Amino acid sequence: MEENHVKIETPFIRLDALLKFAGAVETGGEAKLIIQNGGVMVNGVPCAMRGKKLYPGDKAEVDGREFVVE
């Protein structure tokens, strides 16, 4: 699995914003669809909340790519 580290300057980042910021999706609409259809795992658990707050140390997985928040 490909692991990508995403450094944020804020206390947290929303899941949909993380996917866009990290380049996993092109648009917010695409992020919304992938998340609502159960295509994203957060810390190993399926997540359908696009507004889920991710903090440093959290991991999101989509399409075989893992994004670690730093």
Side-chain angles (χ1 to χ4, degrees):
M1 175 179 309
E2 180 184 343
E3 185 174 289
N4 302 285
H5 294 268
V6 180
K7 182 157 177 54
I8 60 172
E9 302 292 328
T10 57
F12 65 87
I13 187 168
R14 287 176 27 150
L15 179 57
D16 58 348
L18 172 72
L19 297 181
K20 253 182 85 175
F21 182 68
V25 296
E26 298 274 327
T27 66
E30 184 180 352
K32 177 182 175 181
L33 287 175
I34 289 172
I35 294 166
Q36 286 181 340
N37 290 329
V40 180
M41 304 269 286
V42 174
N43 297 324
V45 179
C47 182
M49 299 183 307
R50 76 175 202 237
K52 172 84 172 157
K53 293 178 182 176
L54 301 177
Y55 297 90
D58 285 338
K59 297 178 183 181
E61 182 184 330
V62 62
D63 295 330
R65 295 168 48 190
E66 186 173 70
F67 300 95
V68 181
V69 179
E70 294 184 340

